[in-house]
């Protein structure tokens, strides 16, 4: 089994795109059910949500507030899953409830080691 990161992107900044507390509760249940299904197969390695606030560091010591306000799609969080192939990881990611929202996306990438511990 290899590890894959599932990066979830959605509009975290536009006020009109934000769900009501009731909608958020429903979305979180769907999300936890999805992750629970992956964990039940012993293919969940971990994950985290990300705060909206942050900084972006660029070349030449430039630091700006982030995520970028000019784009609506922000990284909301990620999970790390185990799969035998990229295709299997994509199959699991296709069930992510974030994909039910217009403009949302999920990116799947194999994790490769570039650092020795």
């Amino acid at each position: 089994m290899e590890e894959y990161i599932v990066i979830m992107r959605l509009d975290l900044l536009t006020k009109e795109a934000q769900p009501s507390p009731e909608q958020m509760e429903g979305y979180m249940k769907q999300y936890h059910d999805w992750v629970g299904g992956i964990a039940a197969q012993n293919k969940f390695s971990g994950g985290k949500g990300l705060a909206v606030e942050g900084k972006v560091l660029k070349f030449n010591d430039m630091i700006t507030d982030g995520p970028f306000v000019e784009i609506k799609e922000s990284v909301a969080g990620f999970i790390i899953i185990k799969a035998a192939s990229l295709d299997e990881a994509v199959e699991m990611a296709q069930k992510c409830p974030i994909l039910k929202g217009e403009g949302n996306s999920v990116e799947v990438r194999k994790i490769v080691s570039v650092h020795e511990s």
Side-chain angles (χ1 to χ4, degrees):
M1 291 274 181
E2 301 283 350
E3 285 191 317
Y4 294 84
I5 188 167
V6 179
I7 303 166
M8 296 164 272
R9 292 188 177 92
L10 59 145
D11 184 349
L12 295 172
L13 302 174
T14 306
K15 187 174 182 176
E16 299 78 32
Q18 304 314 304
S20 70
E22 296 79 20
Q23 289 172 316
M24 181 58 90
E25 187 176 320
Y27 295 156
M28 290 309 294
K29 182 185 179 331
Q30 291 174 24
Y31 174 79
H32 287 291
D33 289 348
W34 171 65
V35 170
I38 295 170
Q41 300 172 57
N42 203 27
K43 293 184 177 181
F44 179 73
S45 291
K48 299 287 181 183
L50 301 174
V52 176
E53 304 82 25
K55 297 286 183 184
V56 177
L57 290 69
K58 294 184 177 183
F59 175 75
N60 230 5
D61 294 327
M62 185 152 100
I63 300 173
T64 61
D65 289 337
F68 296 110
V69 215
E70 62 269 11
I71 60 172
K72 291 183 179 181
E73 192 178 71
S74 302
V75 176
F78 67 92
I79 63 169
I80 298 174
I81 59 175
K82 298 174 197 165
S85 66
L86 177 59
D87 289 338
E88 181 186 6
V90 167
E91 281 180 36
M92 285 188 265
Q94 283 178 315
K95 297 175 182 146
C96 178
I98 283 175
L99 292 172
K100 295 178 182 178
E102 185 178 340
N104 296 350
S105 68
V106 170
E107 179 181 347
V108 179
R109 297 180 65 182
K110 183 177 176 180
I111 296 174
V112 294
S113 178
V114 294
H115 303 285
E116 297 298 322
S117 49

